[in-house]
Amino acid sequence: AKIEREINAKVERLAGKQEEESAPNRAAGIHDMNKIDQSGVAATDAVTSSLTPPASFASYAKTLEDNMRARQQHWANTPYPYGSEFGFDTTGQEEVVVWNLYFGNVSVAKQTVDHILSYMRNSPTWAYHGGARSWGDVGNNGKYLATFGTGAKDRGQMHYRSGLNMIPLIEWYRAFPDEIFVLEIAMGAITGQMANVDAATGAPSMMFHAVPHMLEFDPHSGDFGLGFFG
């Protein structure tokens, strides 16, 4: 009962703060999507700015938003809104979380964030802390086929999936800043992507080979750019 009272009090404080901050904007006919909106969700700066262009691009902005709303509604009606083109892959979650937060569907965003946390965890080892394991891309992007012909799976850490999955985690933290656990994992993913860059040459690696007989970065950059973008 005490916890419930504390939560209700916090919600009331947030609602009062939102009312104070939004009143001047409403009077001026402005809705700032960077503030907490009625669903309690902070929209990303990048998405917001892309949808508030000069008047000459207003029709393009509306088309973009309508298209993304259709995608968001599809995800909202799908039992498992997250996923990629392969069952072992862990990409594509970033847009599901970002756009569901943007359109106010917190439950679908949370479902996807929880899914991410099932394979990206807090760990005292840097290669695993926020590291989304790679199970296949080394065959077409890497140089060292560390487990080829053995029947064992690749153990590639800090693959670009880590950087991309950082996006939904950090956006969830921005909306719910009490979720420090999510921030810790997101920071691990960010710093892990930076670790893929050779300090001496600046050359990037697609991932770190974590199999015991390797324990080194792959010489090929592969799809490192996606993770660095994250």
Side-chain angles (χ1 to χ4, degrees), residues 90-145:
T90 53
T91 58
Q93 280 71 268
E94 64 276 6
E95 56 184 341
V96 177
V97 172
V98 167
W99 284 104
N100 273 284
L101 287 179
Y102 180 81
F103 288 113
N105 194 322
V106 180
S107 61
V108 172
K110 184 181 186 303
Q111 182 182 359
T112 307
V113 168
D114 289 343
H115 169 64
I116 296 170
L117 294 177
S118 71
Y119 56 80
M120 283 179 63
R121 302 298 294 174
N122 193 338
S123 172
T125 55
W126 72 267
Y128 288 85
H129 179 63
R133 182 173 174 179
S134 171
W135 282 357
D137 285 349
V138 70
N140 57 297
N141 287 325
K143 179 176 181 179
Y144 297 152
L145 303 181

